[in-house]
Amino acid sequence: VLRISTAYGLSPRMRFDLTSSEFTRTLAAGLELVVYDADTWRPYCHVSDISKAVMTALEASAADVSGEVFNVGHSDENYTKRMVVDVVQDAIGGTGKVTFEEGGRDPRNYRVNFDKIRDRLGYQPDVRVPQSVAAVAQAVQAGAYDDFDQRQSFYTNHTISDSALGTHPAAEG
């Protein structure tokens, strides 16, 4: 089992509902960012490093991975939301307007240790949050995602409608 950290990284179909991408898009587009519970922790892992972890696990001997659970990421890639904001501000020259508030709806707050995957499988991620944030900020500022307001459901995973869910016999009655 691979327990994947919060993903980040450029793609044609960005997930702007994930913290590092959301914060970067918002601030790089010159919009105000409201951050709830700024001192909560999350682990992050670049999409290419997630793929690398999958390949590492698939190529490992059965004795090394059978019945095991591995956290995928790097211990240096645990960030608070406030720390992610700081990284984004560095990438855009400190020009973003940010408001910090308490009382968010997401109670998750955790730091993760990734020693097991490193020690047992020799896995080490290659990309770090600051590199990716800078690339996403450049793409946003270059207009790569100017259609965000018209296509929010394409770039996020927030909206699920009844019609998208369909009906399933097990869900009825």
Side-chain angles (χ1 to χ4, degrees):
V1 174
L2 297 178
R3 296 180 67 214
I4 308 297
S5 299
T6 302
Y8 65 87
L10 273 173
S11 79
R13 186 191 177 270
M14 288 292 295
R15 285 287 308 276
F16 285 123
D17 54 329
L18 301 172
T19 50
S20 68
S21 299
E22 176 187 2
F23 292 5
T24 304
R25 185 199 69 80
T26 302
L27 293 175
L31 304 171
E32 180 178 357
L33 175 65
V34 177
V35 178
Y36 291 93
D37 302 322
D39 297 310
T40 57
W41 289 87
R42 300 280 192 296
Y44 293 89
C45 192
H46 192 272
V47 293
S48 65
D49 289 324
I50 293 169
S51 298
K52 179 180 174 181
V54 170
M55 293 306 301
T56 299
L58 289 172
E59 293 169 352
S61 71
D64 287 338
V65 296
S66 182
E68 297 292 335
V69 177
F70 296 96
N71 294 327
V72 175
H74 190 284
S75 295
D76 289 346
E77 290 288 274
N78 285 291
Y79 289 84
T80 64
K81 292 178 184 179
R82 187 181 310 274
M83 292 165 72
V84 173
V85 167
D86 290 343
V87 169
V88 175
Q89 291 282 34
D90 286 347
I92 65 168
T95 59
K97 170 111 173 74
V98 181
T99 302
F100 295 102
E101 294 188 10
E102 293 302 317
R105 293 177 291 172
D106 187 349
R108 294 175 296 166
N109 183 17
Y110 54 98
R111 294 178 77 173
V112 177
N113 183 293
F114 301 96
D115 293 349
K116 182 178 177 181
I117 196 168
R118 181 196 67 215
D119 296 345
R120 293 218 188 149
L121 303 182
Y123 170 81
Q124 287 275 30
D126 298 315
V127 183
R128 297 292 186 262
V129 167
Q131 292 169 264
S132 181
V133 162
V136 172
Q138 286 179 326
V140 168
Q141 291 170 336
Y145 304 102
D146 280 353
D147 62 344
F148 176 82
D149 290 332
Q150 294 77 37
R151 300 180 71 198
Q152 286 187 26
S153 63
F154 178 77
Y155 291 116
T156 68
N157 196 29
H158 285 133
T159 305
I160 299 175
S161 67
D162 290 339
S163 62
L165 294 174
T167 58
H168 188 278
E172 296 175 1

